[in-house]
Amino acid sequence: MMSSLSYTPLKTGLCYDVRMRYHAKIYTSYYEYIDPHPEDPRRIYRIYKILAENGLIRDPALSGIDDIGDLMCKIPVREATSEEILEVHPKEQLEYLEKTQYLNRDELLSKTELGDSVYFNNDSYFSAKLSCGGAIEACKAIVDGKVKNSLAIVRPPGHHSEPEVAGGFCLFSNVAVATKNILKNYPDKVKKVMIVDWDIHHGNGTQKAFYNDDRVLYVSLHRFELGKYYPGTIHGQYDQVGEGKGEGFNCNIPWSVGGIGDAEYIWAFEQIVMPMGREFRPDLVIVSSGFDAADGDTIGKCHVTPSCYGHMTHMLKSLANGKLCVVLEGGYNLDAIARSALAVAKVLIGEPPDELPAPDKDPKPEAIEMIDRVIDLKSKYWKCFKRQITNSNCEYKGPISESFFAKKFPIQDAIRAQQIQYLTNDYNMVPLPLMNSNLPEDTVMCSTDILQSNVAIIYVHDTPEIWSKRDAIAGVIDSSASLYMDASLQFYDWALDRGYGIIDVNIPQTLYEQDNYSASLTAQEVLIKLWDNNLKYFPNVNKIAYIGVGEAYSGLVHLLGHRDTRSVVKSVIGFVGKKPLKALVPLVEESLADWYFKTSLLFADKNHSCWGENDSKKPRKRYGRVLRCDSDGIFSLIEERFEEATDFIIDSLDEWTEE
Amino acid sequence: MMSSLSYTPLKTGLCYDVRMRYHAKIYTSYYEYIDPHPEDPRRIYRIYKILAENGLIRDPALSGIDDIGDLMCKIPVREATSEEILEVHPKEQLEYLEKTQYLNRDELLSKTELGDSVYFNNDSYFSAKLSCGGAIEACKAIVDGKVKNSLAIVRPPGHHSEPEVAGGFCLFSNVAVATKNILKNYPDKVKKVMIVDWDIHHGNGTQKAFYNDDRVLYVSLHRFELGKYYPGTIHGQYDQVGEGKGEGFNCNIPWSVGGIGDAEYIWAFEQIVMPMGREFRPDLVIVSSGFDAADGDTIGKCHVTPSCYGHMTHMLKSLANGKLCVVLEGGYNLDAIARSALAVAKVLIGEPPDELPAPDKDPKPEAIEMIDRVIDLKSKYWKCFKRQITNSNCEYKGPISESFFAKKFPIQDAIRAQQIQYLTNDYNMVPLPLMNSNLPEDTVMCSTDILQSNVAIIYVHDTPEIWSKRDAIAGVIDSSASLYMDASLQFYDWALDRGYGIIDVNIPQTLYEQDNYSASLTAQEVLIKLWDNNLKYFPNVNKIAYIGVGEAYSGLVHLLGHRDTRSVVKSVIGFVGKKPLKALVPLVEESLADWYFKTSLLFADKNHSCWGENDSKKPRKRYGRVLRCDSDGIFSLIEERFEEATDFIIDSLDEWTEE
């Protein structure tokens, strides 16, 4: 051991070649000149320049020289060979692109028109081969032990290029071609490759190249928005897990909203990418490194900071003994991509990542939910997620032995069984049968004193939520540590004190294995029947306050639009929680919408989707008067707003009295 | 920008001084010479040597020279000043140690005898001041911008030294003294310090120094075993969160078992240490780096590999812009500490950590549960844990407004209400009242045909578990997605088919806010009463099979020890799950234990604590015949072993018939 007197860490490799700037869009108007195509030749130059400006490389003339100093070392770029490209793309596709070298301007423009977001000039094919060859060489230098890791500043990008068709500014599928050739040429050294694609777009091309390949774990984080964001196909959805031997080796983490930033990316890396990477144990990690999730990119509209790119790079360095190749993909704000690439390069040479900026907000709930969903889905394939307590899903996954068919009992029924007990014993309530209905006879209960009351509180509710504790090992809920709180009783105590009558309407939510049941339609049916047929049995009731809780509230809005209840209904309270808002559709008379706005008070979750990006956004009038609460969850809303709700009801009844 | 033509990364600082080897235990026997005290002067030499052997430093004579090459730079070690030490330790303690310089051999030995695991010679005070001064200088060099990070190879260690008393091989509280002085002398640059203590022992000294200080986040991972492991005080428990301003800034992650390895440490870092560190945003991170959790350390008896130390170092480098100071604490296997320190040093200089070895087993359930518990507790103080879906605990944390007192309904009662419905309607069962009992009248139900049967199946059970789904944002359980499966019905269908009578005994588990209730004692009471008073009403019953499910099973064992049931009880099935095993105490006759072993078949969770480290370990005979299942959780056990259990019952009944 004493012989190795000095330890010499390998340098970081760098691929850059000015000839990749030859590929450019042919201007057809002055407008294109002043506002160039986003996939702009300057992209790679600006990255190279910032590395030089910060002393990571030495090239005073920025001409792409070979000797670039002590920290990084130049990896010569060459054209990918046809043989290499054919590992991914069929011959027809290679020839299709080859021909662009010889087309005239009109032919090039017409080919540009025909394609899916790709442009061509006579140098496109050459630049694309260099870009692809650069990616191959950047990987090769690592595997050959010439560099410890590498950064390939290449264009045109590659990850949207599917084997059979170019698209999304991409000609050859650079990372896919590099991966296939490394796997082929280094069968002993590289058996498994992990590709992490943090470009803001889904890498449909790369995914397709390895969809049934268990040697390649492809992980993509991207905007998706139910397929509305480019490339906008179902292939970017989280449930696309790979096929055949590749099942489980494709992992999409699609963001359902824009505006994603550091908090969500770090969270996804820590909860998904890193545990899965450690379990996969790749021999090489390649990053499809678009910088269009960067703060300032007008296409990505996300907020990832340079230090976050540094942190993600730092995390990935802990896989595969640090064998990490970062290959440029998209990213269109020239300043943002330069600063992001600089942060990545610093971490590659061995510097710690800069501290993340202090977060100005929590991760978006949509992202937390998606990460949770991905973990749940992937727990089928990866042990790290099975044991993960992050998995909040304790659902029954079906019997382990086929001979054992246990009957399932919904907790909702158990809770209703108990509610009936105390509504009967403690609140002196009795069932109120609905005519012509197949619903359980305990659906509607009413207090017996309602016959003497002239005010009725009609409380329409879902089953209460449960507070509980999950067994960390067995993954089930401990029933002895579970409870629910029935907030209706708060209202009933209050109402009985004031001599009001009560009607309790129970609307179970969608049940297991009962696909044709709709809580919303059931609530509509019950409330209409109650209004049309039953209320007349209570001749003294001339003032009603409705309280709708959870999804059941939507049935209330339906009733108010379909019957003219104004002479009797004095106030409408809704505890909407996270359920969708429902607009009143005034079938009876237009002015109902105004009346509804004045008469209603609706409480929605702090994180209800209606609030959107901007807090100042307000739902329109026909949704009623909707307030944003400080908490989430039905019970918390009621706890927070009980007094406000009951005050509102009392005021509405009093006003009526004074008239 | 172009002016900085070359970027020069700072080096890693190294503290080492041979004079810290002067502190040594005075031999009092030949035995101590051949098996020296584990806190051995060679510890720091062996670490220094391996760094030189691997070329990280250049010092051919290993004499501790100043110029050590290009990768690391020497930080000169000096004695800590009294003023510095007095920032943590009181004057009396400083003087107590100072005096050891002048004591004679007998006085030193007697002082060694008196202390809590500390020894003294005349150089101890000097070495301890160097060790403490080394820790200060290692931190100072980072904050002064002279090095990017640093490694302090110092001894004696410090983290067990409490301000008022030395202990656990530690004289001065090195890391605490360094931290206090950095905070004092760099008020602008360093406002917050995070101390990560991965020594296998709890750092009681460091914790105490900052227990009410919100400027210092102290995180310790250590063996604890309910205080049985050194230092063995309650201060190492997970619920010690800090006091006053420091509340929330002390984080203990105590392992309840030995044998912890990479999987658990990486999991704890990823789930707790890193999210909390990012939220705390320290200006400096100090590692109290004992290497006694290393594989091969006979004191720690854990299995952390050198690469895992590298990975933890790598993760911590992503905090505080990489300002990381690693200070040696314990670690007693000379080879293991050298290899571990080498892995840490490589990551400090900028190399990626080596890949973790392929795990040969899953993380221990005890560790997963502890990490879960810590996250739950810490979610009170740290936002990252509030939003964490890792938090499997959806418990009700008390009202947010004081005016709102909601009544809580245990789900157990709801489930029993529903069970009564179907046991009555579908199984023709009726309540069987217990004499002189305050228990609910639905506690025991029996099938009416039991009057005609000569076989009774007595099924004693907890409330079934729940399968469910947690709302990722509001943190509550969605009741509409919750269900339970009542495995008793599987047995009842089987029993009724065979013409057996059924007795159903429901034993709720410990309930919310009902501290004096014990499920185990209730089960005992019910089963004894049933045996003494009720079974005589079924004159035809002369064969009984008991089935005990969950904690209720323990009541069964009690009955079998306290009554001689042998002439009637033919088999005893237990689905123990994760509940503690209960030994039969044969009050009636010694031979009952043998009979119990022959008559019983008990199914325990795959991860039941009784299996211990070694699969071959078997519970003793008086615990009955206990089998390890392939799954965890009561329902899964029944699903897995239903056939085996019913076959066993049938066999036991047949055997009896043949006699």
Side-chain angles (χ1 to χ4, degrees):
Chain A
M1 289 281 260
M2 287 297 282
S3 61
S4 73
L5 270 181
S6 180
Y7 181 82
T8 309
L10 291 170
K11 292 183 192 173
T12 291
L14 181 74
C15 268
Y16 175 74
D17 193 310
V18 291
R19 295 173 297 168
M20 284 183 286
R21 299 177 58 191
Y22 299 170
H23 166 63
K25 189 157 197 306
I26 297 171
Y27 297 138
T28 54
S29 71
Y30 178 68
Y31 177 80
E32 279 193 333
Y33 177 74
I34 56 165
D35 185 18
H37 189 281
E39 211 287 270
D40 178 323
R42 289 173 297 174
R43 293 172 63 241
I44 55 172
Y45 171 71
R46 287 291 297 273
I47 292 175
Y48 189 76
K49 183 165 166 252
I50 203 172
L51 298 182
E53 282 170 351
N54 285 272
L56 271 73
I57 55 175
R58 194 174 49 213
D59 183 356
L62 298 175
S63 58
I65 55 175
D66 285 343
D67 178 6
I68 53 171
D70 294 335
L71 297 170
M72 304 186 88
C73 87
K74 188 71 174 282
I75 300 171
V77 174
R78 60 159 176 90
E79 294 163 75
T81 65
S82 298
E83 193 194 344
E84 286 168 336
I85 292 170
L86 290 172
E87 285 291 317
V88 168
H89 299 281
K91 199 149 174 276
E92 298 67 32
Q93 178 61 8
L94 177 61
E95 286 167 0
Y96 177 87
L97 293 172
E98 195 175 3
K99 281 184 197 139
T100 60
Q101 294 177 94
Y102 315 110
L103 301 179
N104 64 29
R105 180 184 155 96
D106 285 348
E107 289 167 331
L108 285 166
L109 286 174
S110 106
K111 211 155 193 167
T112 297
E113 280 297 303
L114 283 171
D116 165 26
S117 312
V118 276
Y119 59 77
F120 300 101
N121 66 8
N122 290 133
D123 291 315
S124 295
Y125 177 65
F126 178 58
S127 289
K129 281 198 298 178
L130 286 173
S131 182
C132 191
I136 297 170
E137 287 299 313
C139 292
K140 210 164 162 296
I142 298 172
V143 181
D144 283 338
K146 291 180 184 161
V147 297
K148 66 173 168 185
N149 50 40
S150 60
L151 173 62
I153 314 176
V154 296
R155 71 175 285 276
H159 74 147
H160 292 308
S161 171
E162 299 191 357
E164 293 80 11
V165 56
F169 316 161
C170 300
L171 302 187
F172 293 122
S173 197
N174 304 329
V175 166
V177 171
T179 303
K180 288 262 192 195
N181 282 283
I182 292 288
L183 286 167
K184 183 184 166 197
N185 296 323
Y186 296 89
D188 295 330
K189 278 187 176 171
V190 181
K191 294 182 183 2
K192 288 181 288 184
V193 177
M194 177 174 183
I195 300 174
V196 178
D197 188 336
W198 65 45
D199 189 285
I200 196 63
H201 302 92
H202 178 235
N204 51 309
T206 316
Q207 169 171 313
K208 197 164 182 188
F210 303 107
Y211 205 61
N212 50 17
D213 194 335
D214 61 352
R215 298 171 306 167
V216 177
L217 171 60
Y218 176 73
V219 183
S220 176
L221 307 100
H222 51 268
R223 273 179 74 182
F224 184 63
E225 291 156 52
L226 293 171
K228 278 184 276 178
Y229 195 74
Y230 188 87
T233 69
I234 193 65
H235 304 300
Q237 184 58 298
Y238 73 95
D239 59 1
Q240 305 291 298
V241 297
E243 272 173 8
K245 273 194 347 182
E247 190 179 336
F249 293 91
N250 195 79
C251 177
N252 288 327
I253 306 172
W255 307 126
S256 59
V257 289
I260 300 293
D262 294 0
E264 293 85 357
Y265 274 83
I266 295 290
W267 189 247
F269 261 66
E270 208 156 57
Q271 299 300 317
I272 301 177
V273 181
M274 296 311 300
M276 194 161 46
R278 277 198 302 271
E279 187 168 337
F280 182 61
R281 300 173 63 78
D283 303 304
L284 174 67
V285 179
I286 306 179
V287 180
S288 259
S289 177
F291 292 119
D292 38 10
D295 192 44
D297 192 292
T298 51
I299 289 183
K301 290 199 177 66
C302 285
H303 307 297
V304 177
T305 63
S307 25
C308 182
Y309 284 112
H311 277 261
M312 294 192 290
T313 308
H314 185 80
M315 289 191 203
L316 293 177
K317 267 179 75 178
S318 70
L319 300 172
N321 289 312
K323 293 200 198 71
L324 177 63
C325 177
V326 178
V327 179
L328 185 66
E329 297 280 1
Y332 309 102
N333 176 319
L334 297 176
D335 286 325
I337 65 173
R339 280 183 287 116
S340 303
L342 174 64
V344 168
K346 275 190 177 176
V347 170
L348 289 177
I349 66 168
E351 295 290 270
D354 287 338
E355 189 167 32
L356 293 165
D360 57 346
K361 49 176 79 178
D362 292 342
K364 287 178 185 292
E366 293 89 347
I368 294 183
E369 278 187 302
M370 179 52 73
I371 289 167
D372 192 38
R373 203 174 296 170
V374 170
I375 288 173
D376 183 45
L377 183 75
K378 288 293 182 302
S379 66
K380 195 172 155 192
Y381 308 108
W382 299 92
K383 261 168 75 176
C384 57
F385 299 134
K386 275 197 200 87
R387 69 162 185 257
Q388 264 211 30
I389 307 169
T390 38
N391 186 346
S392 66
N393 199 326
C394 324
E395 277 183 288
Y396 182 61
K397 312 263 180 184
I400 53 173
S401 65
E402 287 186 17
S403 60
F404 196 84
F405 295 105
K407 191 168 174 221
K408 296 171 197 163
F409 298 96
I411 292 293
Q412 293 193 119
D413 294 356
I415 291 179
R416 189 59 178 167
Q418 196 180 20
Q419 284 179 326
I420 297 304
Q421 283 185 357
Y422 53 70
L423 292 181
T424 307
N425 300 336
D426 305 340
Y427 289 83
N428 203 21
M429 289 172 82
V430 293
L432 180 63
L434 290 172
M435 282 191 255
N436 307 318
S437 164
N438 295 321
L439 292 165
E441 61 177 23
D442 60 15
T443 298
V444 185
M445 304 282 288
C446 69
S447 60
T448 46
D449 57 2
I450 199 167
L451 293 164
Q452 288 81 49
S453 311
N454 62 352
V455 174
I457 306 292
I458 305 185
Y459 190 91
V460 195
H461 61 88
D462 299 348
T463 308
E465 304 148 332
I466 298 172
W467 271 263
S468 188
K469 206 167 171 162
R470 178 176 179 269
D471 184 297
I473 306 303
V476 290
I477 299 285
D478 182 355
S479 52
S480 72
S482 302
L483 56 79
Y484 68 94
M485 273 164 294
D486 193 339
S488 68
L489 303 186
Q490 230 74 17
F491 286 99
Y492 298 165
D493 288 338
W494 165 84
L496 292 176
D497 271 359
R498 306 185 67 90
Y500 303 155
I502 312 166
I503 298 179
D504 172 283
V505 182
N506 181 56
I507 308 291
Q509 292 293 289
T510 310
L511 300 173
Y512 268 77
E513 293 164 9
Q514 209 175 317
D515 287 341
N516 55 351
Y517 173 88
S518 155
S520 187
L521 292 177
T522 305
Q524 292 180 15
E525 177 195 337
V526 173
L527 289 172
I528 291 280
K529 282 194 172 147
L530 197 63
W531 178 264
D532 289 350
N533 307 328
N534 296 64
L535 291 180
K536 62 182 169 217
Y537 296 125
F538 312 128
N540 291 326
V541 170
N542 50 21
K543 289 176 271 179
I544 288 177
Y546 275 109
I547 305 175
V549 179
E551 185 145 352
Y553 124 90
S554 68
L556 206 51
V557 182
H558 177 88
L559 168 73
L560 301 176
H562 285 68
R563 298 289 184 274
D564 189 349
T565 63
R566 286 175 291 183
S567 63
V568 183
V569 173
K570 296 303 154 196
S571 46
V572 179
I573 304 289
F575 290 97
V576 178
K578 64 171 182 180
K579 301 290 179 186
L581 293 181
K582 189 176 161 83
L584 185 123
V585 180
L587 286 202
V588 185
E589 204 200 291
E590 240 347 282
S591 66
L592 271 179
D594 280 342
W595 169 82
Y596 177 53
F597 185 79
K598 278 193 333 211
T599 312
S600 65
L601 195 56
L602 307 168
F603 301 103
D605 271 6
K606 181 183 177 194
N607 284 304
H608 193 287
S609 57
C610 75
W611 306 120
E613 270 295 89
N614 190 334
D615 281 16
S616 64
K617 187 179 154 194
K618 281 213 168 174
R620 290 163 58 196
K621 249 187 165 179
R622 61 203 178 94
Y623 286 97
R625 191 164 358 155
V626 188
L627 301 184
R628 184 176 196 165
C629 294
D630 295 330
S631 52
D632 291 292
I634 292 288
F635 183 79
S636 297
L637 297 195
I638 297 181
E639 197 178 12
E640 184 185 320
R641 302 296 181 126
F642 176 76
E643 219 176 305
E644 191 173 345
T646 46
D647 283 353
F648 185 79
I649 295 175
I650 293 170
D651 284 350
S652 76
L653 299 171
D654 284 352
E655 273 169 29
W656 184 83
T657 312
E658 285 162 5
E659 270 171 28
Chain B
M1 289 283 260
M2 289 296 282
S3 61
S4 74
L5 268 180
S6 179
Y7 181 84
T8 311
L10 290 170
K11 292 183 190 174
T12 291
L14 182 73
C15 267
Y16 175 73
D17 193 310
V18 290
R19 295 174 297 168
M20 285 183 285
R21 298 176 60 192
Y22 298 170
H23 167 65
K25 189 157 195 305
I26 299 170
Y27 297 137
T28 53
S29 70
Y30 178 70
Y31 177 79
E32 278 193 334
Y33 177 74
I34 56 164
D35 184 18
H37 189 280
E39 210 288 271
D40 179 323
R42 290 172 296 174
R43 293 171 64 242
I44 56 173
Y45 172 71
R46 288 291 295 275
I47 292 175
Y48 190 76
K49 182 165 167 251
I50 203 171
L51 298 182
E53 283 170 350
N54 285 273
L56 271 74
I57 55 176
R58 195 175 49 213
D59 182 357
L62 298 176
S63 58
I65 54 173
D66 286 342
D67 178 7
I68 54 172
D70 294 335
L71 296 170
M72 305 186 86
C73 87
K74 189 70 173 284
I75 299 172
V77 174
R78 61 161 174 88
E79 295 164 73
T81 66
S82 297
E83 194 194 344
E84 285 168 336
I85 292 170
L86 290 172
E87 285 292 316
V88 169
H89 299 283
K91 199 149 175 274
E92 298 68 32
Q93 178 62 9
L94 177 62
E95 287 167 359
Y96 178 87
L97 294 172
E98 195 174 4
K99 281 184 197 141
T100 59
Q101 294 176 97
Y102 315 111
L103 301 179
N104 63 31
R105 180 186 156 97
D106 285 347
E107 288 166 331
L108 286 166
L109 286 174
S110 105
K111 211 155 194 169
T112 298
E113 281 297 302
L114 283 171
D116 165 28
S117 311
V118 276
Y119 60 75
F120 300 101
N121 66 7
N122 292 133
D123 291 316
S124 295
Y125 178 66
F126 178 58
S127 289
K129 281 197 297 178
L130 287 173
S131 181
C132 190
I136 297 171
E137 288 299 312
C139 292
K140 209 164 163 295
I142 297 173
V143 181
D144 284 336
K146 291 180 183 159
V147 298
K148 66 173 168 186
N149 50 40
S150 60
L151 173 62
I153 314 175
V154 296
R155 74 175 283 274
H159 74 148
H160 292 310
S161 171
E162 298 192 357
E164 293 79 11
V165 55
F169 316 162
C170 300
L171 301 188
F172 293 121
S173 196
N174 305 329
V175 166
V177 172
T179 303
K180 288 263 193 193
N181 282 282
I182 292 289
L183 285 169
K184 183 182 165 198
N185 297 323
Y186 297 89
D188 295 330
K189 279 187 174 171
V190 182
K191 293 182 182 6
K192 288 182 288 183
V193 176
M194 177 173 182
I195 300 173
V196 178
D197 188 335
W198 66 44
D199 188 286
I200 196 64
H201 302 92
H202 178 236
N204 50 309
T206 317
Q207 168 171 311
K208 196 165 183 187
F210 303 106
Y211 205 60
N212 50 16
D213 194 336
D214 60 352
R215 299 170 305 168
V216 177
L217 171 60
Y218 176 73
V219 184
S220 176
L221 307 101
H222 51 268
R223 273 180 74 181
F224 185 64
E225 292 156 53
L226 293 173
K228 276 183 275 178
Y229 195 74
Y230 188 87
T233 68
I234 192 66
H235 304 300
Q237 185 58 297
Y238 73 95
D239 59 1
Q240 305 290 299
V241 296
E243 271 173 8
K245 275 196 341 185
E247 191 179 335
F249 294 91
N250 195 80
C251 177
N252 287 327
I253 306 173
W255 306 126
S256 60
V257 291
I260 301 293
D262 294 0
E264 293 86 358
Y265 274 84
I266 294 291
W267 189 246
F269 261 65
E270 210 156 55
Q271 299 301 316
I272 300 178
V273 181
M274 295 311 300
M276 194 161 47
R278 276 197 303 271
E279 186 169 337
F280 182 60
R281 300 174 63 79
D283 303 303
L284 174 68
V285 178
I286 307 179
V287 180
S288 259
S289 176
F291 292 119
D292 37 11
D295 194 42
D297 192 293
T298 51
I299 289 183
K301 290 198 177 65
C302 285
H303 308 296
V304 176
T305 64
S307 25
C308 181
Y309 284 111
H311 277 260
M312 294 192 290
T313 309
H314 186 80
M315 289 192 202
L316 292 177
K317 266 180 76 179
S318 70
L319 300 173
N321 289 312
K323 294 202 198 69
L324 178 63
C325 177
V326 179
V327 179
L328 185 65
E329 298 280 0
Y332 309 102
N333 177 319
L334 296 176
D335 286 326
I337 64 172
R339 281 183 286 116
S340 303
L342 174 64
V344 168
K346 275 190 177 177
V347 170
L348 288 178
I349 67 169
E351 295 290 271
D354 287 338
E355 189 167 33
L356 294 165
D360 57 348
K361 49 176 78 177
D362 291 343
K364 287 180 185 290
E366 293 89 348
I368 294 183
E369 278 188 301
M370 179 52 72
I371 289 167
D372 192 37
R373 203 173 297 170
V374 170
I375 288 173
D376 182 45
L377 183 74
K378 287 295 183 300
S379 66
K380 195 173 155 192
Y381 309 108
W382 300 91
K383 262 167 75 176
C384 57
F385 299 134
K386 275 196 200 86
R387 70 165 186 255
Q388 264 211 30
I389 307 170
T390 37
N391 185 346
S392 66
N393 199 328
C394 325
E395 277 184 286
Y396 181 61
K397 312 263 179 183
I400 52 171
S401 65
E402 287 188 14
S403 61
F404 196 83
F405 294 106
K407 191 166 174 220
K408 298 171 195 162
F409 298 97
I411 291 294
Q412 293 192 118
D413 294 355
I415 291 179
R416 188 60 179 169
Q418 194 180 22
Q419 284 178 328
I420 298 303
Q421 284 185 354
Y422 55 68
L423 292 180
T424 307
N425 300 336
D426 304 341
Y427 289 84
N428 202 20
M429 290 172 81
V430 294
L432 180 62
L434 290 172
M435 283 191 253
N436 307 318
S437 164
N438 294 321
L439 292 165
E441 62 179 22
D442 60 14
T443 299
V444 185
M445 304 281 289
C446 70
S447 61
T448 46
D449 58 0
I450 198 167
L451 291 166
Q452 289 82 49
S453 312
N454 63 352
V455 174
I457 307 291
I458 305 185
Y459 191 91
V460 195
H461 60 88
D462 299 348
T463 309
E465 302 149 331
I466 299 172
W467 271 264
S468 187
K469 207 168 170 162
R470 178 176 178 266
D471 183 296
I473 306 303
V476 290
I477 300 286
D478 182 355
S479 52
S480 71
S482 303
L483 56 79
Y484 68 95
M485 273 164 293
D486 192 339
S488 69
L489 303 186
Q490 231 73 16
F491 286 99
Y492 298 165
D493 288 339
W494 164 82
L496 292 176
D497 271 359
R498 306 184 69 90
Y500 303 156
I502 312 166
I503 297 179
D504 173 284
V505 182
N506 180 56
I507 307 292
Q509 291 294 290
T510 309
L511 300 172
Y512 270 99
E513 293 164 10
Q514 209 176 318
D515 288 341
N516 55 350
Y517 174 88
S518 154
S520 186
L521 291 177
T522 304
Q524 293 181 15
E525 178 197 337
V526 173
L527 290 171
I528 291 281
K529 283 193 171 147
L530 197 64
W531 177 264
D532 289 350
N533 307 328
N534 296 64
L535 290 180
K536 62 183 168 216
Y537 297 124
F538 312 127
N540 290 326
V541 169
N542 51 21
K543 286 176 274 181
I544 288 176
Y546 275 108
I547 305 176
V549 179
E551 184 145 352
Y553 124 90
S554 69
L556 205 51
V557 183
H558 176 88
L559 168 73
L560 301 175
H562 285 67
R563 298 287 184 274
D564 190 348
T565 63
R566 285 175 290 184
S567 63
V568 184
V569 173
K570 295 303 155 197
S571 46
V572 179
I573 304 288
F575 290 97
V576 179
K578 64 170 182 179
K579 301 290 180 186
L581 293 181
K582 189 176 161 84
L584 185 123
V585 180
L587 286 201
V588 186
E589 204 198 293
E590 239 347 282
S591 66
L592 271 179
D594 280 343
W595 168 83
Y596 176 55
F597 184 80
K598 278 193 334 212
T599 312
S600 65
L601 196 54
L602 307 168
F603 302 104
D605 271 6
K606 182 184 179 194
N607 284 304
H608 194 288
S609 58
C610 75
W611 306 118
E613 269 297 89
N614 190 333
D615 281 16
S616 64
K617 186 179 153 194
K618 280 210 172 177
R620 290 164 59 195
K621 248 187 167 180
R622 61 202 177 96
Y623 287 97
R625 193 165 356 157
V626 188
L627 301 184
R628 183 175 197 165
C629 294
D630 296 330
S631 52
D632 292 291
I634 292 290
F635 184 79
S636 297
L637 297 194
I638 297 180
E639 196 177 14
E640 184 184 319
R641 302 297 181 123
F642 176 76
E643 219 176 304
E644 191 173 345
T646 47
D647 284 352
F648 185 79
I649 294 174
I650 292 169
D651 284 351
S652 76
L653 299 171
D654 284 351
E655 274 169 30
W656 183 83
T657 312
E658 285 162 9
E659 270 172 29

